[in-house]
Amino acid sequence: MNYTISVFGLGFVGLTTALAFAEKGNKVFGYDVNEQRVKTLKAGKLPFVEPGLDEALLKHQDKNFVITSAPEKAVIESDFIFLCVGTPGGEHGEADLKFLYSAIDLFSSVIDDGKFRTIVLKSTVPPSTTAERIIPYLEAKGLKPGSQFGVANNPEFLREGKCWDDMINADRIVCGTSDLRGEEMLRSLYSDFSSPFFAVSLNTGEFIKYLSNTLLATMISYSNEMSKIADAIGGIQIKEAFEVLHMDRRWGNATMSSYVYPGCGYGGYCLPKDTAAMVATSLSKGYEPQILEKVIAVNDSMPQYMAGKITKHAKKTDKIGILGLSFKPDSDDVRDSSSAKIIRILMREGYNNIVAYDPMANKPFSDEYEFNIEYASSKEELCIFSDVVVLVTAWKEFEDIRNYINEKPLIDCRYFTLNLEQE
Ligand SMILES: NC(=O)c1ccc[n+]([C@@H]2O[C@H](COP(=O)([O-])OP(=O)(O)OC[C@H]3O[C@@H](n4cnc5c(N)ncnc54)[C@H](O)[C@@H]3O)[C@@H](O)[C@H]2O)c1
């Protein structure tokens, strides 16, 4: 069965969700408050780099996928309302729900018209949020979740850089539901996808997402802690040690093993805020998490740790070349990137002569951060101009960087380059 769907928020998750449902034959309206983003999308371009999503946009734009500036009208026609807006970290680590509330405010006045719809939270929200924050928010408006409309959550597990494939070929679809009718609608909507479908309680749906992200964060901080111990002991080939660890057949060559590898800390939009939100939620419910607080502490220590390695090799007048600005390779997302944290520390300590290069993210980085630094147009150029080279993001093209730096010091924050001699 084909449905009409409104999607609020057209970022990585919302745009991918909207186009995936369009691909399956549904009629999808997309709405975003960011005018610049809407303008870019309407011109048939992506506001970020995402392989496959660009083609899907061109294929469905103004056919099954329509960008609307009239969200109420779209909702009136819709069977589903998917909320895919951001849920940034609040002051004390908690998930800030202001964009979810503002999205709900846009359509709440039109959903008591007798038509049964299902509101689906795809944004990442900590366990108990749908039941204890969102449903009461709707009830406070005089609405009756469960009888007038369904409320569910449907956490998203896609990886940036692989958004389209992860959505179309999802390895699991999880829906936390509060009413049978909404559950049946979601089951029917997702029957067009060949992924296992799990309908669980509202809190379980949310919990499963945090189970995933906090485990990834823990594996990264574990690896970083081990790399610090190895540095302290000395004489340990860290890259080789982790590569041998991955040969254990219990990993089964799983890509998951790439998270059990040291670097300069996790960044990006999700792991930092989601781990902090899990701690904040747990504290608010009366349990102080022992491991997760340390996972965050180890992660927070990594930029300073790496900056220390850099300043050991650089004079304040030296030009420091930073390779990689996105939070991970194959992405131009610079949110919470390690490079920004390391550059900030270096500049605070008086190392102001910095040049940076990223294969995709020079512009997004200079737009996002107001650092007074130079940008190189290639790794070759960066290496020529730098006295000390620092590899921060493990782009494939940096693997052979040692061939470009001659005798200059290289600080490989990702234990990534070939023929490594650790600093
Ligand atoms: N990026 C990821 O890899 C990823 C993966 C899984 C889950 N998530 C979660 O999905 C959610 C969205 O993440 P994202 O990366 O797509 O964020 P994003 O910042 O790229 O996109 C969010 C969009 O929502 C829009 N928005 C804000 N308020 C709005 C409103 N009232 N109405 C309509 N649009 C509004 C913003 O303008 C923005 O374009 C977050 O909760 C995130 O944690 C993200």
Side-chain angles (χ1 to χ4, degrees):
M1 181 169 169
N2 292 338
Y3 292 100
T4 302
I5 300 168
S6 289
V7 175
F8 284 76
L10 296 174
F12 291 91
V13 169
L15 185 64
T16 313
T17 301
L19 291 171
F21 287 139
E23 176 88 7
K24 299 293 180 185
N26 300 286
K27 181 175 176 190
V28 185
F29 293 107
Y31 176 75
D32 200 296
V33 287
N34 181 331
E35 286 171 16
Q36 186 53 45
R37 183 159 278 192
V38 166
K39 209 168 136 201
T40 307
L41 289 169
K42 280 193 165 166
K45 296 195 186 109
L46 295 184
F48 35 71
V49 176
E50 240 351 290
L53 207 57
D54 38 4
E55 284 160 41
L57 177 64
L58 291 177
K59 183 172 165 195
H60 297 298
Q61 177 97 293
D62 296 328
K63 295 180 193 103
N64 279 358
F65 174 60
V66 175
I67 298 177
T68 181
S69 53
E72 284 189 348
K73 238 171 109 190
V75 164
I76 288 169
E77 278 191 47
S78 294
D79 306 293
F80 288 97
I81 304 161
F82 272 79
L83 301 180
C84 304
V85 298
T87 45
E91 206 185 325
H92 305 291
E94 76 285 1
D96 187 340
L97 306 180
K98 65 179 179 233
F99 297 124
L100 281 170
Y101 294 145
S102 69
I104 291 171
D105 291 344
L106 289 169
F107 62 80
S108 54
S109 63
V110 299
I111 53 171
D112 60 349
D113 58 355
K115 175 183 164 103
F116 192 91
R117 302 177 180 84
T118 297
I119 300 173
V120 188
L121 274 83
K122 209 173 224 320
S123 304
T124 302
V125 288
S128 76
T129 300
T130 315
E132 294 180 17
R133 307 282 298 279
I134 301 299
I135 289 180
Y137 189 74
L138 290 158
E139 284 170 342
K141 290 173 177 286
L143 297 166
K144 295 190 182 62
S147 55
Q148 283 176 328
F149 52 88
V151 181
N153 55 59
N154 170 213
E156 181 48 57
F157 300 95
L158 59 71
R159 295 162 295 170
E160 285 180 24
K162 298 190 165 55
C163 280
W164 184 244
D165 193 46
D166 281 353
M167 175 78 69
I168 289 292
N169 301 307
D171 38 28
R172 74 283 208 203
I173 292 164
V174 175
C175 288
T177 61
S178 56
D179 59 283
L180 212 55
R181 202 160 161 195
E183 181 184 321
E184 284 314 315
M185 282 175 69
L186 279 161
R187 206 179 277 284
S188 160
L189 174 69
Y190 277 116
S191 64
D192 287 330
F193 293 73
S194 53
S195 315
F197 179 94
F198 296 95
V200 292
S201 71
L202 287 178
N203 285 8
T204 309
E206 296 159 336
F207 184 69
I208 288 171
K209 173 68 188 172
Y210 282 80
L211 210 46
S212 173
N213 275 6
T214 55
L215 177 62
L216 299 177
T218 303
M219 292 195 300
I220 293 170
S221 277
Y222 161 79
S223 308
N224 284 331
E225 171 130 306
M226 291 307 289
S227 73
K228 284 170 136 182
I229 292 173
D231 275 344
I233 295 168
I236 294 174
Q237 298 157 289
I238 295 177
K239 178 181 167 72
E240 287 79 356
F242 276 83
E243 282 172 358
V244 172
L245 177 76
H246 293 166
M247 285 171 190
D248 185 327
R249 71 188 60 190
R250 284 169 294 187
W251 288 108
N253 291 325
T255 50
M256 193 78 154
S257 61
S258 68
Y259 288 85
V260 186
Y261 200 79
C264 40
Y266 54 79
Y269 185 46
C270 293
L271 296 193
K273 78 174 175 65
D274 293 348
T275 309
M278 189 78 269
V279 170
T281 302
S282 183
L283 286 172
S284 77
K285 297 286 181 183
Y287 176 72
E288 184 172 356
Q290 310 292 300
I291 294 177
L292 291 186
E293 284 190 339
K294 298 290 183 208
V295 165
I296 294 171
V298 170
N299 199 57
D300 287 347
S301 74
M302 293 314 293
Q304 184 67 59
Y305 187 69
M306 290 302 173
K309 289 191 182 203
I310 299 163
T311 54
K312 218 166 95 185
H313 289 87
K315 296 191 290 293
K316 291 204 169 151
T317 49
D318 279 347
K319 190 170 277 287
I320 299 173
I322 304 286
L323 284 167
L325 297 170
S326 58
F327 88 96
K328 67 173 185 180
D330 302 321
S331 167
D332 67 346
D333 193 345
V334 297
R335 292 180 285 186
D336 223 340
S337 86
S338 295
S339 317
K341 293 175 203 165
I342 291 171
I343 290 171
R344 191 169 292 121
I345 293 169
L346 289 173
M347 296 189 91
R348 201 174 56 217
E349 294 185 7
Y351 295 82
N352 292 311
N353 196 1
I354 294 176
V355 56
Y357 167 68
D358 188 284
M360 280 186 196
N362 277 7
K363 174 139 183 14
F365 193 85
S366 64
D367 288 347
E368 177 91 12
Y369 301 101
E370 286 179 0
F371 292 126
N372 186 12
I373 62 171
E374 292 169 55
Y375 292 89
S377 58
S378 67
K379 64 178 178 183
E380 291 87 344
E381 191 183 289
L382 180 134
C383 290
I384 291 167
F385 289 130
S386 304
D387 300 300
V388 175
V389 176
V390 185
L391 190 155
V392 185
T393 313
W395 285 92
K396 181 83 184 141
E397 71 163 73
F398 298 158
E399 210 173 28
D400 63 351
I401 202 70
R402 283 181 189 274
N403 297 336
Y404 296 83
I405 55 171
N406 302 320
E407 297 301 304
K408 293 175 186 175
L410 170 73
I411 317 301
D412 180 356
C413 300
R414 295 285 174 186
Y415 305 92
F416 180 64
T417 52
L418 303 170
N419 308 318
L420 196 71
E421 266 178 64
Q422 283 308 321
E423 305 303 324

